Amino acid sequence: MTHARMSGTEQAWAALGGGPALPARIETGGPEGLLPSRLPVMELARSAVAVCSLAAAELAARRTGHAVPRVRVDDGAVATAFTSERHLRIDGRAPTSFAPLSRFWRTADGWVRTHANYPHRRARLLATLGLPADTPDGIAVDAVAASFAGRRGSEIEQTVYAAGGLAVAARTPEEWAADPRGAALTGTPLVARDRIGGAPVRRAAALTGEPLLPAAGVRVLDLTRVIAGPVATRTLALLGADVLRIDAPQLPESPDAHSDTGFGKRSVELDLGSRSGAAAFDELLADADVVVIGYRPGAVERFGLTPRSLAARRPGLVIGRLSAWGHGPWGQRRGFDSLVQVATGIASVEATDGAERPPGALPAQALDHGTGYLLAAAVLRALTEQHDEGGSRLATLSLARTAAWLLDELPARRETEATGPSYDPEKWLTETDGPLGRLRHALPPVAFDGSPTDWSRPPGPLGADATAWLTA
């Protein structure tokens, strides 16, 4: 069956190596017209959550010995979860989304988008203009606008990146496909799945009662940041995994981002470049079942943490990794959802008509969230395969490859712009008290018969937990 004749769910499930009969266990429903876009964003979101739910149900079936539970996908829950960072409230306060210097800028030949949400990225962007890091936002915005207006996008892209900042020139889908950076993704799988080492079959204890927690007893080392990776590990935590997030003390995460994606997890700070930090990581790895890596390729490898070395040190390990750009000339570059939308041509497709108007954006950071749920699904499927066959396993995804799925493979008419009605997300929101205050947050969209309806614990302060696994 070709992509054109397969639903998004069928495409994603096939990419995950799942049995073709199981998608019949999925039921969908909910309000219509959500996440309106010229591209099939709702199909992407629904499909990613559906296969993640199905992968969880499949693993639950292995551990209970029963039939695969029926999966329920509600479009309202999915759309709310895919915009979870916008619905979040921390003691009534809305989080900061994009900083003033994270935006589109007019150039001499089109548009460029920068990402400067983190202070060190802002400082490096300003350094390309000879401005100090403490330049007030108003002055900085005017200076960047004036400088970029007289320069070509490709030159800005190169100069800012060379300085350690982030800027990407806007391209059309056709320009991206013809570029070596985009062409490198042609023919690559949506989810790359590899067996990277031998290990005996590893079968977790049988599950009884409800809620069904298919990842109960699974220990996950979470080396991720921002949205996509943390969404994946937040989902594994929902399903019962002991997730321990590791951050470098010299690279602080956004507290607001962690308030959204830290549910169900614990958090520690480790400097992997120090002797004590490396030793602590080794102790954790010795009892880990899963490692999820969301840093750009090369970032953790310098500490000797390649997938094959991890699997050699801990046979039977499942490794899930994601990056912004995937294969090719930009494979080791940093990136974010907003920048990948611009480079791949998504922003061009979503642009409002008018030559002087900037490119557009998707109604959600769908590349981040979609890749996050696909990554969680890949980990869950790998655990199921281990239950049957053993082995160390690696799943690799990228935002850019998910973008290609959205642009070229999902079944929808790209030229049709949806105008769906507004909806009230309150049905899919709840409030939880915890160490960070009273949080209003989106409920998890992953659901199957007997599944948990919320996380077992709210997020706590980054780095505040013990560097140890929970006792069994």
Side-chain angles (χ1 to χ4, degrees):
M1 187 179 293
T2 65
H3 275 146
R5 296 170 57 192
M6 297 173 70
S7 70
T9 298
E10 290 170 330
Q11 291 177 22
W13 189 245
L16 290 163
L22 282 184
R25 307 292 295 170
I26 299 171
E27 298 175 350
T28 60
E32 298 180 355
L34 305 184
L35 302 181
S37 170
R38 294 181 179 178
L39 291 167
V41 175
M42 193 64 223
E43 177 73 7
L44 181 154
R46 182 190 302 116
S47 300
V49 171
V51 297
C52 186
S53 301
L54 186 57
E58 179 189 34
L59 181 57
R62 286 293 193 284
R63 297 186 63 180
T64 60
H66 300 151
V68 175
R70 189 159 295 277
V71 168
R72 305 181 312 279
V73 179
D74 188 301
D75 280 4
V78 171
T80 305
F82 264 61
T83 51
S84 61
E85 64 275 9
R86 301 180 193 172
H87 295 295
L88 179 69
R89 297 293 182 271
I90 307 163
D91 286 333
R93 176 182 66 82
T96 301
S97 53
F98 286 100
L101 295 186
S102 295
R103 48 166 280 189
F104 283 105
W105 309 87
R106 199 75 169 92
T107 68
D109 60 347
W111 296 89
V112 71
R113 179 150 192 168
T114 52
H115 193 287
N117 282 6
Y118 290 94
H120 60 290
R121 299 288 173 218
R122 182 184 187 277
R124 291 167 188 174
L125 171 62
L126 293 178
T128 66
L129 307 182
L131 295 175
D134 59 357
T135 301
D137 285 334
I139 295 173
V141 167
D142 290 343
V144 174
S147 174
F148 285 6
R151 299 160 62 189
R152 295 177 61 83
S154 58
E155 186 269 325
I156 295 169
E157 191 176 75
Q158 294 168 11
T159 301
V160 173
Y161 182 79
L166 295 171
V168 170
R171 295 166 172 82
T172 66
E174 296 74 22
E175 289 169 338
W176 176 250
D179 189 290
R181 290 160 283 201
L185 298 171
T186 301
T188 62
L190 177 63
V191 181
R193 302 162 51 249
D194 298 289
R195 184 166 175 157
I196 59 172
V201 168
R202 182 182 297 175
R203 292 180 178 170
L207 294 178
T208 58
E210 289 190 4
L212 286 176
L213 299 173
V218 174
R219 290 170 167 172
V220 179
L221 286 175
D222 177 4
L223 282 71
T224 70
R225 288 170 61 79
V226 198
I227 297 178
V231 163
T233 52
R234 179 181 69 182
T235 303
L236 296 175
L238 169 76
L239 298 170
D242 179 8
V243 178
L244 191 60
R245 172 168 169 154
I246 296 176
D247 284 277
Q250 67 272 23
L251 192 64
E253 174 64 291
S254 160
D256 286 352
H258 177 63
S259 294
D260 180 43
T261 61
F263 283 89
K265 310 178 193 179
R266 295 177 300 122
S267 167
V268 300
E269 289 187 345
L270 286 181
D271 181 358
L272 299 181
S274 70
R275 183 174 300 177
S276 61
F281 181 86
D282 285 345
E283 286 189 26
L284 293 168
L285 180 64
D287 293 315
D289 302 293
V290 177
V291 175
V292 182
I293 302 170
Y295 289 83
R296 66 178 178 84
V300 298
E301 283 82 352
R302 62 195 174 101
F303 302 117
L305 305 182
T306 66
R308 292 190 182 277
S309 71
L310 289 168
R313 291 156 63 183
R314 174 60 167 157
L317 195 66
V318 171
I319 301 163
R321 80 173 308 171
L322 65 89
S323 64
W325 304 106
H327 301 280
W330 275 8
Q332 294 194 337
R333 283 203 174 193
R334 301 171 181 87
F336 293 87
D337 182 305
S338 59
L339 300 182
V340 176
Q341 288 190 40
V342 171
T344 59
I346 289 173
S348 172
V349 173
E350 296 296 331
T352 304
D353 294 337
E356 295 304 313
R357 295 180 180 272
L362 298 177
Q365 295 194 64
L367 305 182
D368 265 335
H369 287 273
T371 307
Y373 287 108
L374 290 175
L375 179 58
V379 169
L380 293 165
R381 286 240 61 251
L383 291 170
T384 295
E385 290 173 337
Q386 276 191 333
H387 188 278
D388 299 337
E389 304 167 9
S392 300
R393 298 173 185 273
L394 170 67
T396 308
L397 300 90
S398 72
L399 303 188
R401 183 60 185 85
T402 302
W405 187 41
L406 176 64
L407 280 162
D408 301 321
E409 298 166 18
L410 285 169
R413 294 174 57 193
R414 189 167 66 192
E415 67 273 13
T416 300
E417 184 172 5
T419 56
S422 61
Y423 80 111
D424 184 356
E426 289 298 323
K427 178 179 177 181
W428 300 281
L429 297 173
T430 190
E431 292 191 345
T432 301
D433 290 314
L436 303 182
R438 188 165 186 79
L439 302 180
R440 187 189 77 171
H441 63 93
L443 288 165
V446 171
F448 54 91
D449 289 348
S451 65
T453 58
D454 202 351
W455 287 272
S456 61
R457 57 187 293 159
L462 279 160
D465 293 292
T467 308
W469 297 112
L470 294 174
T471 57

